[in-house]
């Protein structure tokens, strides 16, 4: 079984939209594109490069794929791994692309089969809606987060209310001089709801 690894920049309030520039994704009237710039430094750049250098396959949502496919094929020397790795695209509408090593998936069952197949681990970049689907179904094995010291209040967020309650273990972390928290979290187990308050009281009184 392959691991699904979400790697992303996020703000303190969980916004992940358009971190690198205003031309990435301005949907929903988002006008804070490029919010990573004030806190970016050599350490954050090294962390991103480490992710880019992994031998991996990729799982991307349609919008992220369209952004990536308009840029990376003509800049392959900057990110050889994504050029050579298999790119699995989750989309109900796209069916083909000229970008080599691209495969299209159109259902959650397709993603489950991919996860249960043999091969390298799978990185998810961007793709907030796809990440929500994966988190709803308990399919994220690791979170590689670069948490920037900024609040934006609006924008596409990493987590939402339908996420399956899950415990993660902090496996690695470092804090940059500019306050970016770079962390690797590994899935531990699902978290089950607590017993109702009265049940907890009754059990305590029986002791």
């Amino acid at each position: 079984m392959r691991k699904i690894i979400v790697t992303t920049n996020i703000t303190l309030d969980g916004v992940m939209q358009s971190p690198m520039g205003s031309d990435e994704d301005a949907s929903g009237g988002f006008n804070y594109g490029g919010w990573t710039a004030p806190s970016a430094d050599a350490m954050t750049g090294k962390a991103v490069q480490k992710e880019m250098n992994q031998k991996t396959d990729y799982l991307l949502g349609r919008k992220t794929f369209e952004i990536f496919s308009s840029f990376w094929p003509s800049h392959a020397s900057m990110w050889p791994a994504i050029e050579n790795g298999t790119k699995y695209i989750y989309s109900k509408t796209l069916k083909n692309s000229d970008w080599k090593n691209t495969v299209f998936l159109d259902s959650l069952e397709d993603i489950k089969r991919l996860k249960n197949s043999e091969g390298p681990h799978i990185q998810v970049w961007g793709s907030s809606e796809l990440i929500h689907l994966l988190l709803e179904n308990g399919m994220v094995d690791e979170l590689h987060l670069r948490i920037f010291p900024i609040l934006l209040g609006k924008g596409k967020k990493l987590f939402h209310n339908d996420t399956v309650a899950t415990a993660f273990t902090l496996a690695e972390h470092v804090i940059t001089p500019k306050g970016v928290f770079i962390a690797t979290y590994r899935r531990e187990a699902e978290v089950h709801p607590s017993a109702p308050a009265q049940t907890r009281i009754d059990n305590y009184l029986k002791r």
Side-chain angles (χ1 to χ4, degrees), residues 34-203:
W35 48 264
T36 59
S39 299
D41 59 14
M43 284 185 70
T44 53
K46 185 177 179 180
V48 172
Q49 195 64 50
K50 180 181 177 181
E51 302 287 349
M52 294 171 70
N53 289 341
Q54 298 298 310
K55 183 179 180 181
T56 183
D57 286 339
Y58 302 87
L59 178 60
L60 306 173
R62 178 185 59 81
K63 292 178 183 177
T64 297
F65 173 70
E66 289 175 340
I67 293 170
F68 278 24
S69 63
S70 68
F71 180 83
W72 288 112
S74 59
H75 297 80
S77 62
M78 297 170 60
W79 194 357
I82 199 168
E83 182 70 12
N84 298 321
T86 301
K87 295 163 283 292
Y88 296 93
I89 315 308
Y90 179 70
S91 174
K92 300 289 187 180
T93 56
L94 290 181
K95 301 298 180 184
N96 56 72
S97 171
D98 292 333
W99 198 3
K100 72 175 185 178
N101 303 326
T102 300
V103 177
F104 289 87
L105 312 176
D106 64 7
S107 71
L108 180 62
E109 291 305 313
D110 285 343
I111 299 176
K112 289 179 178 178
R113 283 192 287 270
L114 173 63
K115 181 172 171 52
N116 289 322
S117 67
E118 296 295 323
H121 295 325
I122 302 163
Q123 287 184 354
V124 182
W125 291 71
S127 310
S128 60
E129 293 180 15
L130 171 60
I131 292 172
H132 293 168
L133 178 67
L134 297 172
L135 290 170
E136 286 172 22
N137 289 275
M139 296 176 67
V140 174
D141 298 290
E142 295 188 7
L143 295 165
H144 295 187
L145 306 181
R146 295 168 294 279
I147 305 169
F148 283 73
I150 185 172
L151 298 171
L152 294 180
K154 68 176 183 178
K156 296 177 181 177
K157 295 193 175 184
L158 179 59
F159 304 111
H160 68 160
N161 288 339
D162 291 327
T163 296
V164 170
T166 309
F168 284 80
T169 298
L170 180 62
E172 301 175 21
H173 75 282
V174 64
I175 302 173
T176 74
K178 292 190 175 182
V180 179
F181 187 74
I182 302 171
T184 295
Y185 292 95
R186 294 191 178 125
R187 178 187 172 90
E188 185 176 294
E190 287 189 11
V191 177
H192 299 288
S194 301
Q198 187 59 51
T199 301
R200 296 199 302 271
I201 293 170
D202 291 344
N203 289 339

